Amino acid sequence: QTRLVESGGGSVQAGGSLQLSCVASGYIFSECEMGWYRQAPGSERELVSAVSNDGVTRYADFVKGRFTVSRDKTKKTLVLQMNSLRIEDTAIYYCQQSCTITPTTSPLVFWGQGTQVTVSP
């Protein structure tokens, strides 16, 4: 079982920056993508950014150019640097790890407990 713990959320004014961190512990599978998702009140959870096991990054269009994701496999951490924050970035941000066990089975997915990000005018 993998445990994910996020930190770094908080309140910031529009235009400001925050950095989120996610640390994985417990059993670490070898073929895992790690990513950040967010969920605003009344909305579905959506992908923000992810890093494949090979280090390939992808971003949602609404954060391109503002957010940067990085992954340190040795330290088992995932970091999301969020700049130029907007009011609409307000949400709970979740760390996720999706691990491929075999090519023919569904991946194992783990979630952190989430961290609140609030952006004010």
Side-chain angles (χ1 to χ4, degrees):
Q1 187 79 352
T2 297
R3 183 174 181 232
L4 304 173
V5 178
E6 303 101 332
S7 62
S11 297
V12 66
Q13 287 188 318
S17 298
L18 283 173
Q19 186 179 82
L20 305 182
S21 296
C22 172
V23 179
S25 63
Y27 186 84
I28 305 297
F29 296 89
S30 59
E31 296 289 330
C32 299
E33 178 183 86
M34 291 188 75
W36 290 98
Y37 287 70
R38 72 185 188 185
Q39 188 167 20
S43 299
E44 294 186 354
R45 194 171 296 188
E46 59 185 357
L47 173 71
V48 174
S49 181
V51 185
S52 73
N53 194 60
D54 297 328
V56 177
T57 60
R58 54 194 176 106
Y59 296 91
D61 287 343
F62 52 78
V63 302
K64 284 181 180 177
R66 300 189 298 125
F67 292 9
T68 302
V69 68
S70 58
R71 180 177 180 179
D72 186 329
K73 295 178 72 174
T74 302
K75 296 181 180 179
K76 305 171 188 175
T77 60
L78 183 72
V79 174
L80 185 68
Q81 177 65 41
M82 306 186 293
N83 299 327
S84 302
L85 282 161
R86 304 168 180 169
I87 294 172
E88 54 265 36
D89 292 321
T90 295
I92 299 174
Y93 284 70
Y94 297 90
C95 180
Q96 187 224 52
Q97 187 173 77
S98 177
C99 302
T100 299
I101 307 303
T102 73
T104 57
T105 58
S106 298
L108 287 178
V109 179
F110 304 96
W111 292 94
Q113 81 286 353
T115 185
Q116 176 70 46
V117 171
T118 302
V119 185
S120 59

